Amino acid sequence: MHDLELSEEQCMIRDMARDFARREIAPKAQAMEKAGWIDDALVAQMGELGLLGMVVPEEWGGSYIDYVAYALAVEEISAGDGAVGALMSIHNSVGCGPVLNFGTQAQKDFWLADLASGQAIGCFCLTEPHAGSEANNLRTRAELRNGQWVLNGAKQFVSNGKRARLAIVFAVTDPELGKKGLSAFLVPTDTAGFTVDRSEHKMGIRASDTCAITLSDCKIPEANLLGPRGKGLSIALSNLEGGRIGIAAQALGIARAAFDAALGYSRERIQFGKPIGEHQSIANLLADMHTQLSATRLLILHAARLKSAGYPCLSEASQAKLFASEMAERVCSKAVQIHGGYGYLEDYPVERYYRDARITQIYEGSSEIQRLLIARELANYPL
């Protein structure tokens, strides 16, 4: 990406994130994976740098410039470690976003400054063990009793679930209304009855805390309803564009780290009297990988520019997420291949990149869902 395509401010954000990722994140990535936890001091530093409030306006302590700057920053942080990129992307998009877009003035004043600074991390409790992310079939219930909402149910695959101070929980308030009976709630995670059952053991992004959560007679004030009663489905679906741009940027960052590792290795590893990167078979692999990274970045930034300008871009964001996530698996696989047997060892980071990349085809809408959405948009595509 040539800097002439970016503003000075966007370049500054990208370079700050890149420097921080290389200096502070990448050297700790392997240790954090083994610990299954992202270093608390690292998260605090990200908050101080404004990386955790990139969708929040300055009015509430955020650092919003536009979605281009956000995508560039997520890419850089994810190149340092995919798990840290996941925390950043999820916190910004579905932690800060719903409060910003649907919160009352009082809710924004109470939560947004802490969310933007990283003093409070957010999590998004939609998926359930039996319903998946199919909002129409949620079993979690919320009943209004004596001026309090009482929540009961179970949530699955909650990213940032153990670390979060604020959970955005979706529950059925009016079962007879079907999809119009779903509502959203702001639930402080220290509320009695909100229990983190376990942290999941995952293939990749292991430092990211992905949790199963139980809500058992969890009581919150009536004022903690987020948005109008019955608008939960709209709130759940409201940030698909920004969320998918973020995950696409995460996939790009992981893949770029794998490419950089493979390129470096190809210059150092000598076979048949010369670096392996000078053999045509390896050079061709690297050329293809580099081209796929460049094409992906253009798709992401196109969607980000549309989002920043206020244009609908669900199809563009879905295209970017689909292409980036599937590209990441291919590029990381080729990076392992270039390393040969060493690429299969934990001693080399490409083994971790390969595992980390896989989730990007699943969360924030699977590749199958992205194709479905893109195909629907084609019904009105001008010929």
Side-chain angles (χ1 to χ4, degrees), residues 33-57:
E33 176 176 74
K34 290 187 182 301
W37 187 251
I38 297 169
D39 184 61
D40 292 336
L42 194 65
V43 177
Q45 286 177 283
M46 291 173 68
E48 291 167 7
L49 290 171
L51 293 167
L52 299 177
M54 293 197 73
V55 305
V56 179

Side-chain angles (χ1 to χ4, degrees), residues 327-345:
M327 174 280 300
E329 185 177 2
R330 291 193 303 271
V331 166
C332 291
S333 178
K334 296 303 182 187
V336 170
Q337 194 73 15
I338 288 169
H339 280 72
Y342 292 111
Y344 205 65
L345 304 181

